[in-house]
Tab-separated table of all heavy atoms in Angstrom:
chain	number	residue	atom	x	y	z
A	1	MET	N	0.829	-1.206	0.000
A	1	MET	CA	0.000	0.000	0.000
A	1	MET	C	0.864	1.257	0.000
A	1	MET	O	0.513	2.263	-0.621
A	1	MET	CB	-0.921	-0.006	1.213
A	1	MET	CG	-1.974	-1.083	1.184
A	1	MET	SD	-2.985	-1.080	2.680
A	1	MET	CE	-3.965	-2.567	2.408
A	2	SER	N	2.014	1.192	0.685
A	2	SER	CA	2.916	2.348	0.729
A	2	SER	C	3.397	2.706	-0.665
A	2	SER	O	3.384	3.874	-1.065
A	2	SER	CB	4.120	2.046	1.626
A	2	SER	OG	3.731	1.810	2.961
A	3	TYR	N	3.818	1.708	-1.423
A	3	TYR	CA	4.313	1.991	-2.767
A	3	TYR	C	3.197	2.418	-3.704
A	3	TYR	O	3.369	3.308	-4.535
A	3	TYR	CB	5.077	0.786	-3.319
A	3	TYR	CG	6.553	0.954	-3.081
A	3	TYR	CD1	7.102	0.566	-1.869
A	3	TYR	CD2	7.372	1.554	-4.014
A	3	TYR	CE1	8.450	0.753	-1.616
A	3	TYR	CE2	8.713	1.748	-3.787
A	3	TYR	CZ	9.255	1.346	-2.576
A	3	TYR	OH	10.585	1.549	-2.317
A	4	MET	N	2.058	1.799	-3.581
A	4	MET	CA	0.948	2.201	-4.440
A	4	MET	C	0.517	3.632	-4.119
A	4	MET	O	0.082	4.371	-5.003
A	4	MET	CB	-0.214	1.226	-4.269
A	4	MET	CG	0.110	-0.161	-4.816
A	4	MET	SD	-1.255	-1.340	-4.728
A	4	MET	CE	-2.307	-0.699	-6.016
A	5	SER	N	0.668	4.037	-2.835
A	5	SER	CA	0.297	5.404	-2.464
A	5	SER	C	1.304	6.417	-3.003
A	5	SER	O	0.963	7.572	-3.236
A	5	SER	CB	0.194	5.526	-0.946
A	5	SER	OG	1.468	5.527	-0.328
A	6	MET	N	2.558	5.985	-3.207
A	6	MET	CA	3.584	6.909	-3.678
A	6	MET	C	3.539	7.115	-5.185
A	6	MET	O	3.979	8.139	-5.692
A	6	MET	CB	4.969	6.389	-3.271
A	6	MET	CG	5.294	6.582	-1.801
A	6	MET	SD	7.032	6.222	-1.416
A	6	MET	CE	7.046	4.435	-1.461
A	7	LEU	N	3.036	6.137	-5.926
A	7	LEU	CA	3.036	6.224	-7.378
A	7	LEU	C	1.925	7.134	-7.871
A	7	LEU	O	0.813	7.143	-7.337
A	7	LEU	CB	2.875	4.830	-7.988
A	7	LEU	CG	3.983	3.832	-7.674
A	7	LEU	CD1	3.652	2.478	-8.282
A	7	LEU	CD2	5.331	4.323	-8.168
A	8	SER	N	2.227	7.887	-8.907
A	8	SER	CA	1.235	8.807	-9.477
A	8	SER	C	0.500	8.132	-10.629
A	8	SER	O	0.285	8.727	-11.682
A	8	SER	CB	1.922	10.078	-9.971
A	8	SER	OG	2.924	9.753	-10.926
A	9	CYS	N	0.136	6.864	-10.436
A	9	CYS	CA	-0.555	6.117	-11.473
A	9	CYS	C	-1.289	4.949	-10.831
A	9	CYS	O	-1.096	4.655	-9.648
A	9	CYS	CB	0.441	5.574	-12.514
A	9	CYS	SG	1.491	4.237	-11.863
A	10	GLN	N	-2.127	4.292	-11.625
A	10	GLN	CA	-2.713	3.023	-11.215
A	10	GLN	C	-1.808	1.939	-11.779
A	10	GLN	O	-1.831	1.666	-12.971
A	10	GLN	CB	-4.136	2.881	-11.764
A	10	GLN	CG	-4.829	1.592	-11.350
A	10	GLN	CD	-5.006	1.457	-9.854
A	10	GLN	OE1	-5.374	2.406	-9.181
A	10	GLN	NE2	-4.720	0.285	-9.324
A	11	PRO	N	-0.949	1.335	-10.941
A	11	PRO	CA	0.075	0.432	-11.478
A	11	PRO	C	-0.495	-0.833	-12.097
A	11	PRO	O	-1.576	-1.299	-11.744
A	11	PRO	CB	0.942	0.112	-10.252
A	11	PRO	CG	0.043	0.337	-9.078
A	11	PRO	CD	-0.866	1.453	-9.476
A	12	MET	N	0.277	-1.376	-13.024
A	12	MET	CA	-0.056	-2.621	-13.694
A	12	MET	C	0.794	-3.735	-13.118
A	12	MET	O	1.799	-3.501	-12.457
A	12	MET	CB	0.197	-2.492	-15.202
A	12	MET	CG	-0.572	-1.378	-15.866
A	12	MET	SD	-0.023	-1.107	-17.580
A	12	MET	CE	-0.422	-2.687	-18.335
A	13	SER	N	0.424	-4.978	-13.420
A	13	SER	CA	1.150	-6.154	-12.955
A	13	SER	C	1.365	-7.108	-14.120
A	13	SER	O	0.413	-7.507	-14.801
A	13	SER	CB	0.366	-6.855	-11.841
A	13	SER	OG	0.794	-8.180	-11.663
A	14	PHE	N	2.617	-7.490	-14.362
A	14	PHE	CA	2.908	-8.461	-15.413
A	14	PHE	C	2.213	-9.790	-15.141
A	14	PHE	O	1.772	-10.480	-16.066
A	14	PHE	CB	4.412	-8.694	-15.532
A	14	PHE	CG	5.110	-7.752	-16.470
A	14	PHE	CD1	5.773	-6.644	-15.992
A	14	PHE	CD2	5.094	-7.972	-17.837
A	14	PHE	CE1	6.426	-5.768	-16.850
A	14	PHE	CE2	5.736	-7.114	-18.715
A	14	PHE	CZ	6.408	-5.996	-18.210
A	15	GLU	N	2.127	-10.160	-13.858
A	15	GLU	CA	1.511	-11.433	-13.518
A	15	GLU	C	0.049	-11.475	-13.967
A	15	GLU	O	-0.416	-12.477	-14.533
A	15	GLU	CB	1.617	-11.671	-12.011
A	15	GLU	CG	3.001	-12.056	-11.536
A	15	GLU	CD	3.984	-10.892	-11.496
A	15	GLU	OE1	3.544	-9.721	-11.589
A	15	GLU	OE2	5.191	-11.138	-11.377
A	16	THR	N	-0.675	-10.397	-13.724
A	16	THR	CA	-2.072	-10.329	-14.151
A	16	THR	C	-2.183	-10.353	-15.668
A	16	THR	O	-3.055	-11.019	-16.238
A	16	THR	CB	-2.738	-9.056	-13.598
A	16	THR	OG1	-2.663	-9.072	-12.168
A	16	THR	CG2	-4.202	-8.982	-14.025
A	17	ILE	N	-1.270	-9.651	-16.332
A	17	ILE	CA	-1.267	-9.626	-17.795
A	17	ILE	C	-1.030	-11.018	-18.359
A	17	ILE	O	-1.739	-11.482	-19.265
A	17	ILE	CB	-0.204	-8.640	-18.308
A	17	ILE	CG1	-0.605	-7.206	-17.947
A	17	ILE	CG2	-0.009	-8.793	-19.824
A	17	ILE	CD1	0.500	-6.192	-18.143
A	18	PHE	N	-0.040	-11.731	-17.813
A	18	PHE	CA	0.248	-13.077	-18.306
A	18	PHE	C	-0.903	-14.036	-18.001
A	18	PHE	O	-1.211	-14.927	-18.810
A	18	PHE	CB	1.552	-13.598	-17.700
A	18	PHE	CG	2.783	-12.989	-18.296
A	18	PHE	CD1	3.811	-12.529	-17.489
A	18	PHE	CD2	2.928	-12.893	-19.678
A	18	PHE	CE1	4.960	-11.973	-18.041
A	18	PHE	CE2	4.064	-12.330	-20.236
A	18	PHE	CZ	5.087	-11.874	-19.408
A	19	ALA	N	-1.521	-13.880	-16.843
A	19	ALA	CA	-2.664	-14.737	-16.505
A	19	ALA	C	-3.792	-14.521	-17.507
A	19	ALA	O	-4.446	-15.478	-17.956
A	19	ALA	CB	-3.137	-14.456	-15.086
A	20	ASN	N	-4.035	-13.270	-17.888
A	20	ASN	CA	-5.089	-12.974	-18.864
A	20	ASN	C	-4.716	-13.492	-20.252
A	20	ASN	O	-5.575	-14.000	-20.989
A	20	ASN	CB	-5.348	-11.468	-18.915
A	20	ASN	CG	-6.032	-10.951	-17.668
A	20	ASN	OD1	-6.718	-11.694	-16.971
A	20	ASN	ND2	-5.859	-9.680	-17.368
A	21	MET	N	-3.443	-13.382	-20.621
A	21	MET	CA	-2.997	-13.921	-21.906
A	21	MET	C	-3.192	-15.434	-21.949
A	21	MET	O	-3.572	-15.997	-22.983
A	21	MET	CB	-1.523	-13.573	-22.134
A	21	MET	CG	-1.271	-12.109	-22.462
A	21	MET	SD	0.508	-11.661	-22.480
A	21	MET	CE	1.146	-12.769	-23.762
A	22	ALA	N	-2.934	-16.086	-20.826
A	22	ALA	CA	-3.098	-17.538	-20.767
A	22	ALA	C	-4.557	-17.932	-20.973
A	22	ALA	O	-4.865	-18.909	-21.669
A	22	ALA	CB	-2.594	-18.060	-19.425
A	23	ILE	N	-5.458	-17.171	-20.381
A	23	ILE	CA	-6.891	-17.439	-20.560
A	23	ILE	C	-7.265	-17.298	-22.038
A	23	ILE	O	-7.959	-18.145	-22.611
A	23	ILE	CB	-7.727	-16.489	-19.691
A	23	ILE	CG1	-7.521	-16.820	-18.202
A	23	ILE	CG2	-9.211	-16.591	-20.054
A	23	ILE	CD1	-8.175	-15.826	-17.268
A	24	GLU	N	-6.781	-16.220	-22.662
A	24	GLU	CA	-7.095	-15.973	-24.071
A	24	GLU	C	-6.559	-17.090	-24.970
A	24	GLU	O	-7.157	-17.406	-26.002
A	24	GLU	CB	-6.498	-14.630	-24.499
A	24	GLU	CG	-7.152	-13.420	-23.821
A	24	GLU	CD	-6.388	-12.137	-24.097
A	24	GLU	OE1	-5.353	-12.199	-24.802
A	24	GLU	OE2	-6.816	-11.074	-23.600
A	25	GLN	N	-5.426	-17.685	-24.585
A	25	GLN	CA	-4.802	-18.719	-25.402
A	25	GLN	C	-5.075	-20.135	-24.887
A	25	GLN	O	-4.468	-21.098	-25.353
A	25	GLN	CB	-3.284	-18.471	-25.467
A	25	GLN	CG	-2.917	-17.145	-26.108
A	25	GLN	CD	-1.408	-16.902	-26.151
A	25	GLN	OE1	-0.615	-17.846	-26.184
A	25	GLN	NE2	-1.023	-15.635	-26.168
A	26	SER	N	-5.994	-20.232	-23.940
A	26	SER	CA	-6.393	-21.537	-23.379
A	26	SER	C	-5.209	-22.318	-22.820
A	26	SER	O	-5.076	-23.528	-23.026
A	26	SER	CB	-7.121	-22.371	-24.451
A	26	SER	OG	-8.280	-21.708	-24.906
A	27	LYS	N	-4.337	-21.605	-22.128
A	27	LYS	CA	-3.195	-22.241	-21.483
A	27	LYS	C	-3.447	-22.314	-19.979
A	27	LYS	O	-4.016	-21.399	-19.388
A	27	LYS	CB	-1.905	-21.452	-21.737
A	27	LYS	CG	-1.506	-21.323	-23.198
A	27	LYS	CD	-0.185	-20.576	-23.316
A	27	LYS	CE	0.106	-20.191	-24.764
A	27	LYS	NZ	0.314	-21.351	-25.643
A	28	GLU	N	-2.975	-23.386	-19.370
A	28	GLU	CA	-3.122	-23.532	-17.929
A	28	GLU	C	-2.076	-22.682	-17.212
A	28	GLU	O	-0.917	-22.617	-17.620
A	28	GLU	CB	-2.961	-24.994	-17.511
A	28	GLU	CG	-3.215	-25.224	-16.023
A	28	GLU	CD	-3.177	-26.688	-15.640
A	28	GLU	OE1	-2.733	-27.510	-16.468
A	28	GLU	OE2	-3.596	-27.011	-14.520
A	29	VAL	N	-2.496	-22.020	-16.142
A	29	VAL	CA	-1.587	-21.249	-15.290
A	29	VAL	C	-1.396	-22.004	-13.984
A	29	VAL	O	-2.368	-22.391	-13.332
A	29	VAL	CB	-2.140	-19.835	-14.995
A	29	VAL	CG1	-1.205	-19.102	-14.029
A	29	VAL	CG2	-2.302	-19.040	-16.277
A	30	LEU	N	-0.132	-22.198	-13.605
A	30	LEU	CA	0.193	-22.893	-12.372
A	30	LEU	C	1.170	-22.054	-11.558
A	30	LEU	O	1.732	-21.072	-12.059
A	30	LEU	CB	0.795	-24.270	-12.682
A	30	LEU	CG	-0.138	-25.227	-13.440
A	30	LEU	CD1	0.654	-26.376	-14.047
A	30	LEU	CD2	-1.226	-25.749	-12.520
A	31	GLY	N	1.385	-22.438	-10.305
A	31	GLY	CA	2.258	-21.671	-9.433
A	31	GLY	C	3.457	-22.468	-8.950
A	31	GLY	O	3.324	-23.645	-8.600
A	32	LEU	N	4.624	-21.831	-8.927
A	32	LEU	CA	5.813	-22.463	-8.379
A	32	LEU	C	5.714	-22.615	-6.866
A	32	LEU	O	6.368	-23.472	-6.280
A	32	LEU	CB	7.055	-21.638	-8.731
A	32	LEU	CG	7.508	-21.685	-10.197
A	32	LEU	CD1	8.510	-20.573	-10.471
A	32	LEU	CD2	8.131	-23.040	-10.519
C-alpha cells in the first residue's frame, strides 16, 4: 500500500497480464 500510495498512477502487474494472456490462449496457469 505504501508503494501504491507513492506512485502517481494506477500500477499494472505483469503477472495479471500473463494470466489474462493464458486465458485468451487456453493455457493452464500454475504456481511455483
Side-chain angles (χ1 to χ4, degrees):
M1 293 178 187
S2 297
Y3 264 85
M4 292 183 73
S5 74
M6 285 190 285
L7 298 177
S8 57
C9 70
Q10 181 62 43
M12 302 171 62
S13 161
F14 271 98
E15 286 75 14
T16 301
I17 293 168
F18 285 134
N20 289 335
M21 287 171 59
I23 292 173
E24 293 171 359
Q25 298 179 27
S26 300
K27 299 182 191 295
E28 185 175 12
V29 176
L30 298 164
L32 288 166

